[in-house]
Amino acid sequence: MIKINRGHQPPGLKVYTSKSVKALDGVTKVTKAEQELERAIAFFMDPNRFSNEKKLTRDTFTFAVYKDPEIQEKLAAVFGTKCAYCETDFGPVTPKDIEHFRPKSEITAGRTTLIPGYFWLAGEWDNLLVSCPDCNRGRKHEVPGQPEKTTLGKETQFPLSDEQHRARNRAPLVNEETVRLLLNPCGNDEPEKHLMFDDQGLIHPRPDANNVPSGAGTMSIAVYALRRKPLVENRLKELNRFRLLFENLNHLVKNHNDLRSLGASQAMLDNNGAQIARVKSAMVEMLGPKGQYLAMLRDWIRRAKANGECALLEQFGIDLTTLIP
């Protein structure tokens, strides 16, 4: 998971700007987003329908704003076909989920279910992102090191470290934000400060200066199912591909230095230099915005630099850390 600069203000879409529908009073013209919010408030704050965190009737409410085609188009422009949580490019194999960071209809907090959820945020641009089904939905998954499959996926989970700060019924989120345990890739969090990876593609919570693992990292790994076996295997494939390019680059740089010391022709140096440029270009592409598992690759680069593995490249004028935004 990396930080994604989606922007907190809604884009100028008709659903947010065009006063084309009527409010509940039947007279005032409002936007579709305002109309849905007004209807949602009337529905979910009706004491005859909801009381003491439970639903009293079988009435249902249909949220439509977040499914608006223009919203989906804008979200696609921000995320492409990459999951905001696991960074997998799932476009070729499955449709995207429009994910609500704070769940709209109900909330799972440990063994407790709170109803309704954050209904007033259902159409808020700041609460929407793109997720793959495996991160978003509850499914049975294999996890390396565990003997049996387990149900993983965010679904309606939204854990806090202190339930007393839970925002209910349109309460401000200021206090809740201080006890939120899920990393928000589109918020003010810096996910890479909470997550780290090993050489097998496994993700771990990053420890702080006192060697205490990040609580937000620990919870996010569990809730977003970031240790599911196929995901770990895919990350490892991508890491191995990047490491192979790294080894090739080191070999070509060493060869370039040897050619210079032996007084090789300019043609031979140019040919080797062109190979260096091609390998470096492939690495740049893997680290670009369309690349998968950028948090893992960036983490590997930082570790390689700290371990002195990049010394030869740096002496040659190639600093891979400059490829990290």
Side-chain angles (χ1 to χ4, degrees):
M1 188 191 310
I2 61 171
K3 185 178 181 65
I4 299 171
N5 294 314
R6 176 195 52 196
H8 297 297
Q9 296 302 316
L13 305 180
K14 291 180 182 178
V15 70
Y16 294 125
T17 62
S18 176
K19 296 185 181 296
S20 59
V21 293
K22 292 182 180 179
L24 291 184
D25 63 12
V27 178
T28 309
K29 284 293 189 74
V30 294
T31 67
K32 289 183 179 179
E34 290 169 338
Q35 183 195 61
E36 180 174 281
L37 176 58
E38 188 181 19
R39 290 176 53 244
I41 292 170
F43 183 89
F44 289 103
M45 296 189 72
D46 182 349
N48 294 315
R49 289 192 175 101
F50 298 89
S51 180
N52 296 321
E53 309 294 355
K54 295 185 181 299
K55 193 169 186 290
L56 306 178
T57 70
R58 294 185 178 182
D59 298 352
T60 59
F61 186 92
T62 301
F63 294 100
V65 166
Y66 78 95
K67 298 178 182 178
D68 179 83
E70 286 190 318
I71 288 181
Q72 296 202 36
E73 184 179 341
K74 285 293 184 181
L75 288 172
V78 173
F79 298 95
T81 54
K82 280 175 56 178
C83 176
Y85 298 134
C86 74
E87 294 191 79
T88 299
D89 184 353
F90 58 89
V93 294
T94 185
K96 65 180 178 295
D97 281 355
I98 303 299
E99 152 73 345
H100 292 80
F101 179 64
R102 282 180 165 85
K104 60 187 184 299
S105 297
E106 64 180 54
I107 304 163
T108 302
R111 296 183 179 180
T112 302
T113 300
L114 307 176
I115 302 176
Y118 300 90
F119 61 87
W120 67 99
L121 302 177
E124 288 289 323
W125 172 255
D126 203 30
N127 196 45
L128 304 177
L129 47 79
V130 167
S131 170
C132 73
D134 280 332
C135 282
N136 187 34
R137 308 178 194 179
R139 295 181 171 185
K140 289 284 187 181
H141 292 286
E142 287 185 66
V143 176
Q146 294 187 14
E148 297 181 359
K149 287 187 176 182
T150 184
T151 301
L152 299 169
K154 183 171 179 282
E155 289 194 314
T156 60
Q157 297 182 77
F158 201 78
L160 305 177
S161 62
D162 186 348
E163 278 296 322
Q164 293 185 9
H165 290 306
R166 175 81 64 184
R168 304 297 289 141
N169 298 322
R170 302 186 69 208
L173 301 175
V174 176
N175 290 333
E176 184 180 279
E177 276 290 284
T178 64
V179 295
R180 170 170 53 82
L181 285 176
L182 288 185
L183 293 171
N184 185 353
C186 303
N188 296 321
D189 298 332
E190 297 287 346
E192 292 174 78
K193 293 182 178 180
H194 298 269
L195 304 170
M196 58 185 293
F197 301 81
D198 64 24
D199 287 340
Q200 301 304 311
L202 276 169
I203 189 171
H204 305 275
R206 189 180 293 279
D208 61 16
N210 297 316
N211 208 32
V212 177
S214 164
T218 300
M219 187 64 73
S220 297
I221 289 169
V223 170
Y224 299 141
L226 299 182
R227 280 184 178 160
R228 56 188 188 267
K229 188 170 182 284
L231 174 59
V232 173
E233 291 172 344
N234 275 350
R235 279 199 298 251
L236 181 56
K237 287 179 182 178
E238 204 74 356
L239 180 57
N240 285 338
R241 179 185 164 208
F242 189 82
R243 286 193 291 205
L244 181 59
L245 290 172
F246 179 79
E247 290 169 6
N248 287 343
L249 187 60
N250 270 281
H251 173 76
L252 289 167
V253 166
K254 182 179 183 302
N255 188 54
H256 207 85
N257 291 337
D258 290 343
L259 287 172
R260 281 176 175 169
S261 65
L262 293 172
S265 67
Q266 189 60 47
M268 294 179 69
L269 288 170
D270 289 346
N271 179 63
N272 195 77
Q275 293 182 61
I276 289 175
R278 282 195 292 271
V279 173
K280 185 179 176 183
S281 177
M283 298 176 81
V284 169
E285 183 177 358
M286 289 188 70
L287 291 166
K290 292 184 179 180
Q292 298 187 93
Y293 315 127
L294 298 183
M296 176 191 65
L297 297 182
R298 294 171 180 178
D299 188 50
W300 186 87
I301 289 173
R302 294 184 183 105
R303 284 189 285 117
K305 181 179 177 69
N307 294 335
E309 297 175 52
C310 299
L312 182 63
L313 298 183
E314 290 171 351
Q315 291 168 9
F316 193 74
I318 299 174
D319 184 356
L320 295 181
T321 61
T322 62
L323 305 180
I324 301 175

